[in-house]
Amino acid sequence: MRRGWWLVRWLGTGMAILSLLTHSWGQDTEDWQYEECKLSRPGPPATIVTIDEESPNGTVLVGNMQINGRPQDPGRTISLLLLDNYDYWVILDPTRQRLYLNSTGRVLDRDPPNSITTIVVQIQCTNELVGTIILHEVRIVVRDKNDNTPRFQQPRYYVAVNELTPVGTTIFTGFAGNNGATDIDDGPNGHIEYSILYNPNDPASNGTVSVANTLSGHITLAERLNYEERTRYLVLVQANDRAPYPPNRRTATTTLTVDVLDGDDLGPMFLPCVLVNNTRDCNPITYHVAIPEFTEPSKLNPLNVTPSIRAVDMDRNIQPPSDRPGIHYFILVGHPNTYPEYFSLNRTTAELHVLQPISRDVYQRFTLIIKAEQDNGHPLPAYADLIIEILDENNQAPYFQFATYQGYVSESSPVGTTISASANLTAPLGVIALDNDIEETKDPMVKITLNDYTTIFGLTPTGLIRYLRLLKPVDREKQMTYTFTMVSSDGVQQSIPVTVNILVLDANDNTPTFPEVSYSVEVFTDMQQGETVLQLTAADADEGLNGLVTYEILAGAQGDFIINNRTGRITVAPGVTLTVGRSYALTVKASDNAPETQRRSSITTVYIEVLPPNNQSPPRFPLFTYSLEVSEAMRIGAILLNLQATDRENDPITYRIVSGDSQKVFNLSETIGLLLLDQPLDRETTDKYRLIVTASDGNPGGTSTTTVNIVVTDVNDNDPKFNITTPTNFTVQEEQADLFIGEVTATDPDAGPNGQVRYRIVNHPDLFTISENGSIYTRVPLDRELRSQYSLVVEASDGAVDPRRTSLTLSIQVTDIDDNSPMFSQQTYVVNVPENSPVGTVVLKLSAVDSDLISNVTYRIKTESAQQLFSLNPITGELAVLQTLDFENLAAMGMGAFYTFQVEAVDQGGVMPPGQATVTVRITDMNDFSPIFVQDLYKGLVAPNAEKGTVITTVLAEDQDPPGTPASFVRYRVDLDRSPYSGSIFDVEEVSGRVITKVNLNEEPSVTFKLFVIAFDDGEPVKTNSTLVEITVLQPSRIPIFTQEEYKFSPVSELAPFGKRVGTILAAAVNQTIFYSIVAGNELGHFQVNNRTGVISTAKPLDYENVTSYVLRVQADSMVVVMSNLRAPSKTNTAKVFIEVLDENDHPPVFTRKLYIGGVTEDTKIFSSVLKIVATDKDTGNYSAMAYRLIIPPTPEGQDSFVIETYTGIIKSAMMFRNMRRSYFKFEVIATDDYGIGLSSSAEVVVSVVNALDMQVVVSTVPPTLVEEKKEELIRILERHVQDQIPGAKVIVEAIGPRRHGDGFELEDYSKTDLMVYAIDPLTNRAISRQELFKFLDGNVLDINKEFQPHLGEGGRILEIRSPDIVASVKKAAQAVGYTEGALLALAIIIILCCIPAILIVMVTYKQFKERQAECAKTARIQMALPPGGKAPPAAAPSANLYEELGDNSILQAKKSVVKEADHQRIFSTFACRSLAARSNGELHVNLPKSESNVTFYSDRNPLTTHNPVYDNSPIGSPHAERRFSFSPSHSAALGCNWTMPARIHGGLHSYEAPRRQVLMDPTTWELQILRAAMNGGRGTESSDALDISGSTETKMSVREQARQFEQPTLLEQPLRQSRESLGSFSSVLVRDRDSDEILELTSDTLFSIMDYPYSPTSGGRDVPPSIIISQGEEQWPLASQRPTPPVLRESSSSISSYMTVQPCQIMVELIPDPPDIPPPLPPRRPQPPSPPTSPPSSPPPSPPSVSFLPEPRYSPPSPPPPPPPPPPPPPHHKPRAPPPPPPLPSPPSPASVHSRPVVQFVPTSLPPVSMLRPVSERKHPRPLDPAQADVGTKRELKGILKNIQNLAEIERSIANLYSQVDKNCKAPKFTKKPPVTEESEGANKLQSSDPRHEQSTPKTTSSSSAVQINPATSVNCTEDGTSQPSVAAEAQRSSQLNSNSPSDLSENFSSQSTVL
């Protein structure tokens, strides 16, 4: 039982489970039926799709609705029905659940007027199983397509801007609102951006304005405007939409016309205005007015000024006219200064008034400068010159200079010839009419009238001299003289008439004329010789030789007849027998006897027939032979020739053709002898005939014969014919020029040019050419690919005037070569490839074709990197993808969405390079990511009364698609489906995502709105995302209220520091803390606001030039709201703040160039504009107003070369530039803003002076007005071509005018232009040479013409580039006289040939002179070896060999001695060359003649006068006078030289060491000669010692030190003189020669006479060396005969023995070369009292002050010296004169010439008289004076030569120049090997004989007494080249002879004056 229970229980459980399973299955079956019609995807039954507008019909809208169920039979479960399908845009395919676009016959257009943005339909799904219905909404959003172009609302836009408008100002806002461009597209496709396009028709407009805001289109000013330069700009404005893909953007353009209004930026200008080149300034204008003298002002006022004084504002178009300023006039300045008393200028009308009558005797002219300025204070006046001439009162009548005038004119003179005053027609006849009312040098401007013959003669209307000119040709044969009167009139009075006689001179204008053209004469055989045959007469109307006719027979007489050349009578020639039947045709000429070139003549013919005496003769033909030419086209029956013969007896004559006409072509009339053509002629058959014709009178022997030669001339009656064998088919290879094709041949049987065949290509002359022989060539390479066959027509024509032609057609086949590369069908392929395209996808098929006949084209990828991504089929050209391309990966790799590579098409069998093309593969993104909002929920606050457009918050979504792709571009919109009400009052900006109010709110506080915002991208397909924005309406109590809606603060300076307070804003709220902020207008962060106080201050530097004003939008919020990170803008808590920026002067001026280059011509007038300087300033107002000034280096004259107008920057000339070509001025220009008180900048200006020689004239084919208009553009082109050769060169226009042409450039052509230019080289600042400028321009004239073409228009070009008119005229004049060059050259050659012998003679003479000079030197040395006192040499010494006296025993030793002595002789001779003339009011301290106490040195620049230290002011009769040297004058006639600045010996005691003078010598030519004399002391008890010469050891000293030492001997001379006087007397001195050991005894008097050494018995020795001061004279005097150097000088040593107990005394020579030889002016002489003579009566006295010159006196021994004088007072200090700057002096001494020992002065024993001490230029030939007057004069004390000189530095700098001049011209004499000379006279005479004139004027003397002693005191004059001047030597000789008694006296005097050095 238990088992059954369990069984029942398990069965029951199973049945229950089975029942549950059955129920569950049934329930599931019923639920499935209800799932039908539902979407198989989650979500509501709504579908949103997008479609592009203008999609084609049948576009799939929804590919599958994804509705559950089977809509088709069998087994249908659902039924689909389309509802709400308005306009039937959608078609439903229920079986496939697919929707299509239905646009049949229409276009889906999203844009107005259709505006289809969304299509919404319902899909009704019916569940056939259960009967339920579900509606599915399908929303089709129509996407905008950029298919509309922006359109401007107006065709043109206009704006007017004042030229003074600052840069940066917004000048046009006319595109705002709907007035600009609109685009009906949606979104970015409908947004407009504005930009400025380049306008090729107005290039300047592109930079004039700019677009400040591309969205609003506001136009701002980018450059300063200038009304004077341009009044209108045409700005091309482009509007484009903002389509995301820039290539798809559409554009539209319009023109904005900017008219520039005139502003008051220029000053006035005087009229008329002639513009200056390169500027807009006017040339200076000069007004003229002339008024008569003594005229009352009432009769003259207002004065008639020419032109009228008038000035206008250069800003002529200021609008309105009432704003235009007025002009005020003033007289600024004038000359003479009294002009205000006579003239006044009306301030407003500019009328000039004279105030009182003016006398012309007082004022002849007034020159005034008038000024015009604006009445508004504008700082730019204008200036003009006003010249007022005062005319003489017209109270005298004009008059002619002569009462009658005689003129001459040739009858052959052309019209315009000036009447001559002489019959030889060399000088014009000048008619002078004068008026005493006008100056004789001025044109009286009278009117001269002729009373008759006014049509034949005319008088020049103006000029001081008037000329009569020929107005009409005259004929002497008609009228020989013309007499008329002339009257001159000045308009008031008239002159007395004068008579003018014009004589017409004959010209050979008539030809001798015979009455008959020919003469016929019959003569008989019995006429005798000389019998007259015919008398001829020819008439000539000319006179004189022009009308004298002569006759001659030119031909035909055959010697049988002659003619008398005067009478014209023809006679039978002597010895002539006439023959019956002969006939003659004599050509006789009659000619006049005018000059050969003017001779005229005429001829006539005399026919002579010889008849028999019995009158029986046969018929005679006129000619023996007839020749004629007959055209082969001559008609039949034409008369060819008249062969009529004449019979003397008039018997009938019969004619017939005997032979030559076998074909009967000709017909001869038997009775009248006419030859006719009987048959047609054919030259090609017979070209000539020879007919024999007879004429018979029927009598025996009555037949005559003649020959007729007929030549048949050709007629062009045959066409050229081509050779029938000529081929007509040819082939030629392409691509070769000058290739032979074939040859054709044609012939023409005609003769001459008619038969010459020429060939021509008829139809393709540009491709083929044919030669003269018919060879055909290709002219250019042919291209078979263009044309493969040509039918060439060749024409053959003959050479006739009207040629005959034949043509032949040839076929030319062009053969192919491989000369073409394959060409792709496109050069650029662009293909779009979606990313992730599978491998192998074909994206493009390339195609290339080779034009050659045979080609095999294959394809390949050239770019290697592309071969990894793409494959190219070489046969088909298919381009496929090799690997999958991912857009994002490519972007990450930097490859971008574009991939560009090269492909090639290769001709496999060809040689040409492959063809190439570019393939661009664009990888398109497939939109992989949806936008994602950064926040899921956004919150915002809004005021209850918020205005429309209030920003509440901003949403932001990001898209991970590659940046820059459409898929990454996120936009926003409101989801109206989810927030329909919120979407009606709020909106979101599509691009920015800002949530704004859509309307003005009026909502309740605390209400919260939910707004759903959708973010979508532009990818394919579009992906979206959404977010929620909660917007809460704020309580009004939490919204602060500003006290003002707008705040305007004071302007803030742009230089304000950081934190500068601008102003304070204030808002109020109840129980709220206010937070201030700037919400707009401060994008650049220039300002900040204090959040608590509301103080606005600067945060960054301001810049007025960038932003001039700010409009800030500030907001005040409750701190609670701010803390919630929210804001609630409303009308009350926002305000505007207006901040103006105040401009400051923070920018300096900026010049347009760093270097301005200009030019002026040499004839530029003063105040002419040169160039204009322009500086700009970014600042505004006065801060940009410039004031210019120049910084010009000072000039010696102190005159500025240029000036600049302060406010215009125009530089004007301020001086004349004559003769300043090739010079330039470089200066600096400063520009200072704020009218000269602000910041400054500088630039350099270079102005070069040029003239016409630096210019070129560019001749163009357009008128000057066009060139003036386009001047700047043309100059830029020329400048660019010049700068290609010379960088930086500046081309400047000098003038623009009409083209001048003709021989003298006197003709003007206003249809063409002469543009005169020159160029400045910036490196040299000088004008480029005219030749270089021509090369630069002419070499590029073709390129220049191409660049000129757009500016000059069609046909405008450069004709030529030529030299200016004046240069061409000079060249023409030079060519006109070029024939004289040959004559001048020949003359120069003749002169050179004549000069060569003269030069040779001079050279030989100079050489002989040098040889004689050497001989004189030898003789002088021998003579000086003689003992003193005139003693004769010892008897044992042979007089013939004087060299033995010097210690030489052979001729060879003598020659060596001469060579050694050459240097010493050179020193002394050069000393003479360097003498300086001196004059004095005192007396020499050493018994010298008078001379001035001041020495004047001369140079080429500045003279210098100083005191002469040689003289002192000791009183006359001083005891010291007895110690003077004895003066030894010259006795030789040749002695014409003198020492002009002598020196003295100073002595001293043992304990006294006198200061020595610095030696000044020539360091390269001279050496210091220091001679020591060893004197035996001890009052005769000490033995003599010889001291050797020591060289100079002095150190080099400056000139200043030399000057001080030069003064010291003078200052110390007085104590030195006192010490001398304290010494004892010497008895005698023995002088020993070292070479010969001979002892010479000299008395103390003799020694002192030599040395001027103060004699003192207590002297124990001397150690003060003397110094010889020698300097060159003022003129170069000839070197006379020189005394030989003493033997003691030969070895440069000497010894003096038996000289008491004297210490050695040294003598030193000091040389002072002096400056150039300009004689000094004679200073005023002081009267001098007489003084006792100090020399014997035989010595001539010096000249008194009134006598200028004296001859040299005879010599006489010195007299006993007087007692020594008392010590003289110290030398007074002379007040220095005011000398000019000192001249050059000698150079400092060389170290070799410096010695450390003291120096004393030494003066030679013989010095010249006063006449020789004067400047040579003042010397004359005075008469001798009484010797008693020789020593009359005063002594003057020595003065320091440089004591009072203040400019020693200038002297020191001048030494070198003078030294070089002195040294190089004084050469040492040369010594020749000649026998020794024993007589001094021989050496002197030889020296004088070097000049022939000297030999003639100077008697020769051979006695020794006439020899000249050459010692340091000997006066010697020599020229720089060593040649003598005979005039001075001759005068010296004559003076010497006048003062000599006998030769013996001379000899004695000389012998007693030996000199010891």
Side-chain angles (χ1 to χ4, degrees), residues 23 143 471 543 828 1114 1142 1398 1400 1750 1789:
H23 178 75
R143 287 184 303 192
L471 303 180
E543 68 174 356
T828 302
V1114 294
L1142 182 63
L1400 295 177
L1750 285 176

Side-chain angles (χ1 to χ4, degrees), residues 1767-1785:
H1773 177 71
H1774 286 265
K1775 184 178 180 180
R1777 303 179 186 177
L1785 286 181

Side-chain angles (χ1 to χ4, degrees), residues 48-59:
I48 300 176
V49 297
T50 60
I51 184 175
D52 290 334
E53 66 173 327
E54 299 181 1
S55 295
N57 184 36
T59 300

Side-chain angles (χ1 to χ4, degrees), residues 632 682-684 714-723 745-759 795-806:
E632 64 175 329
D682 188 3
R683 190 204 61 81
E684 288 73 24
D714 184 53
V715 174
N716 192 17
D717 55 350
N718 292 280
D719 293 331
K721 293 182 180 179
F722 284 98
N723 194 335
T745 304
T747 59
D748 191 331
D750 290 325
N754 296 335
Q756 295 177 357
V757 179
R758 302 171 183 172
Y759 303 95
E795 181 185 83
S797 61
D798 54 31
V801 176
D802 187 12
R804 303 173 73 98
R805 296 178 173 85
T806 302

Side-chain angles (χ1 to χ4, degrees), residues 419-498:
I419 307 303
S420 298
S422 59
N424 55 8
L425 306 180
T426 56
L429 176 63
V431 178
I432 299 178
L434 302 176
D435 192 339
N436 290 331
D437 293 327
I438 301 176
E439 298 177 15
E440 291 187 0
T441 58
K442 294 184 178 180
D443 183 7
M445 302 299 292
V446 297
K447 182 179 180 182
I448 302 178
T449 57
L450 282 62
N451 70 330
D452 199 359
Y453 304 115
T454 55
T455 60
I456 301 177
F457 302 100
L459 200 66
T460 53
T462 59
L464 184 61
I465 302 177
R466 313 288 182 91
Y467 299 98
L468 280 169
R469 300 188 185 278
L470 195 62
L471 303 180
K472 184 178 180 181
V474 294
D475 189 354
R476 188 199 62 83
E477 286 72 31
K478 294 181 179 178
Q479 185 170 350
M480 183 178 298
T481 60
Y482 295 86
T483 301
F484 52 89
T485 60
M486 292 189 304
V487 175
S488 63
S489 171
D490 59 6
V492 177
Q493 303 190 43
Q494 187 170 304
S495 70
I496 299 174
V498 296

